[in-house]
Amino acid sequence: MTTRWKITLEYDGRPFVGWQRQDNGLSVQGCVEEAIRRFAQEEVTVHCAGRTDAGVHALAMVASFDLEKDAPADTVMNAVNFHLKPHPVAVLAAEAMDPDFHARFSCLGRGYLYRIVNRRAPLALEAGRAWHVMAPVLDADAMHAAAQRLVGRHDFSSFRASLCQAKSPEKTVDELTVTRVGEEVRVVARARSFLHHQVRNMVGTLKLVGEGKWTADDVTRALEARDRSAAGPTAPSDGLYFTGAVY
Amino acid sequence: MTTRWKITLEYDGRPFVGWQRQDNGLSVQGCVEEAIRRFAQEEVTVHCAGRTDAGVHALAMVASFDLEKDAPADTVMNAVNFHLKPHPVAVLAAEAMDPDFHARFSCLGRGYLYRIVNRRAPLALEAGRAWHVMAPVLDADAMHAAAQRLVGRHDFSSFRASLCQAKSPEKTVDELTVTRVGEEVRVVARARSFLHHQVRNMVGTLKLVGEGKWTADDVTRALEARDRSAAGPTAPSDGLYFTGAVY
């Protein structure tokens, strides 16, 4: 009798080629599948709510897989954590689900946090974990006001990576909030789903607003152009965190 | 004409044997002195407000040194940062001071933060940057109440490392605050100065209170015993951050 498992994962994206298993390096998926294999002696495929790119972190990624082995949730969590060492991936929670639960296809909402550290000095403690933007002081209020132009249902072709495999460029952004906390500027993004690189492309564009180079109207024009070259550059992976999935 | 410089440093303590230059490994002091030497072609000795142990971090360590080379503060900061790469140390600020300023001897107050992540799952993002305390849920309110027994002027022999070089075991703790922020328990400590390992020994003792093994009265008894073996174990270096120096 097979059990469908839901697990919640935290990971530091720095050592990984990304979520997805690849031939050319260490992936989060590969590490998790290998840890499950060592625990249960079963070959499994682990599906996640949002496949993150190389260097992108997760505070609470949700993933699902099937296991023949019968074990309590605590055992699954502790054993997989044991076998995940020394990789910077941790199972925060494990739960047995109905067999129709699927981390990706059942997901009704995804959340991301993007962290910008806005200061002159290089990052010692947060290197690889935030985007270092030196100067000038970013105007977070102007970024937030401009971000509201991207909230709602739009054709996000201007913010879509060329490799994006989504059928449609139309997405509904439910929240795009920019706040300053000391020297840090934080962008919170929520949507049912995002296009590939959409959050990083939105952040790279909003940074132009924060620097005073672009206005909110420029952001609207970039959106309406439906052309990737009309929007700002892609913000680096360092600052991006998958923060949660809603079911 | 010599200039006395004050610099403020952020560092990740993980790769270092500690602040102090040693023969057996990389030290923060050694890295900073070497970066200054490369910039100014001068051999300098850098003094800091509080010499941190191996693995202890700094959000704002203050240090001072003398330089013959004449340069604006911005140049000192940027050039030293350039030469500090790739070490996880950053100069946040540089300022020319009166010649009687000394980062250690002029310091009127030191602040530390100790971070405990209190959860079952291992630490993926915060490994080496917080103390992982698994179970049970620590009672931060009880820890805070017990911490107040340590505030004020006391003989802290029970919380003093055997290697401590201070002349007297008497210190005045101005603040010892314990708060819970989600799964994190934070201890803020302020004093004119601390004994060696004093903050970590206080945290290791307060953890016993958080677990319900000790009461506030047990903390008072440990303090009054003036005997290191009467207090709790030393909390690991991972969670300790030097947060600032007052002049």
Side-chain angles (χ1 to χ4, degrees), chain A residues 10-12 14 57-59 74 77-78 81 88-92 119-126 129 241, chain B residues 10-12 14 57-59 74 77-78 81 88-92 119-126 129 183 241:
Chain A
E10 175 184 276
Y11 53 85
D12 182 334
R14 282 178 289 180
H57 318 288
L59 297 175
D74 276 4
M77 174 175 154
N78 294 337
N81 275 329
V89 184
V91 181
L92 305 181
R119 71 180 195 190
R120 290 244 334 267
L123 307 186
L125 275 160
E126 299 300 318
R129 298 154 58 108
Y241 295 73
Chain B
E10 175 184 276
Y11 52 84
D12 182 334
R14 281 177 290 180
H57 318 287
L59 297 174
D74 277 4
M77 172 175 156
N78 294 336
N81 274 329
V89 184
V91 182
L92 304 182
R119 70 179 195 192
R120 291 239 337 265
L123 307 186
L125 274 160
E126 299 300 320
R129 299 154 58 111
E183 67 185 14
Y241 295 73

Side-chain angles (χ1 to χ4, degrees), chain A residues 179-211:
Chain A
T179 48
R180 175 176 281 277
V181 183
E183 67 185 12
E184 197 169 319
V185 175
R186 294 182 185 187
V187 183
V188 169
R190 283 193 307 108
R192 183 179 178 106
S193 63
F194 291 95
L195 299 168
H196 193 201
H197 282 184
Q198 185 181 344
V199 176
R200 288 164 61 187
N201 290 337
M202 293 193 300
V203 170
T205 300
L206 293 174
K207 182 211 175 211
L208 297 173
V209 176
E211 291 172 325

Side-chain angles (χ1 to χ4, degrees), chain A residues 23-104:
Chain A
D23 293 334
N24 64 341
L26 199 68
S27 65
V28 181
Q29 183 186 20
C31 285
V32 174
E33 288 174 353
E34 173 65 14
I36 294 167
R37 195 190 60 73
R38 288 196 211 169
F39 153 58
Q41 283 84 50
E42 293 178 45
E43 299 288 339
V44 299
T45 299
V46 176
H47 300 280
C48 76
R51 288 167 293 179
T52 50
D53 285 314
V56 175
H57 318 288
L59 297 175
M61 175 59 75
V62 175
S64 61
F65 59 94
D66 288 334
L67 218 55
E68 301 288 334
K69 185 184 181 95
D70 192 31
D74 276 4
T75 304
V76 171
M77 174 175 154
N78 294 337
V80 176
N81 275 329
F82 177 79
H83 291 291
L84 275 168
K85 283 184 275 185
H87 305 298
V89 184
V91 181
L92 305 181
E95 190 182 352
M97 305 294 283
D98 286 335
D100 61 349
F101 176 81
H102 189 286
R104 182 174 174 196

Side-chain angles (χ1 to χ4, degrees), chain B residues 10 14 20 45 48 51 58 66-67 98 106 111 113-114 120 129 135 151 164 171 187 190 192 205 213 225 231 241 246:
Chain B
E10 175 184 276
R14 281 177 290 180
Q20 201 155 11
T45 298
C48 76
R51 286 167 293 178
D66 288 334
L67 217 54
D98 286 336
S106 309
L113 165 68
Y114 197 96
R120 291 239 337 265
R129 299 154 58 111
V151 172
C164 182
K171 293 288 171 190
V187 184
R190 283 191 309 109
R192 182 180 178 105
T205 301
K213 293 177 182 164
Y241 295 73
V246 178

Side-chain angles (χ1 to χ4, degrees), chain A residues 92-122:
Chain A
L92 305 181
E95 190 182 352
M97 305 294 283
D98 286 335
D100 61 349
F101 176 81
H102 189 286
R104 182 174 174 196
F105 299 120
S106 309
C107 183
L108 302 176
R110 277 107 175 154
Y112 284 93
L113 165 69
Y114 197 98
R115 298 177 57 210
I116 298 171
V117 175
N118 184 205
R119 71 180 195 190
R120 290 244 334 267

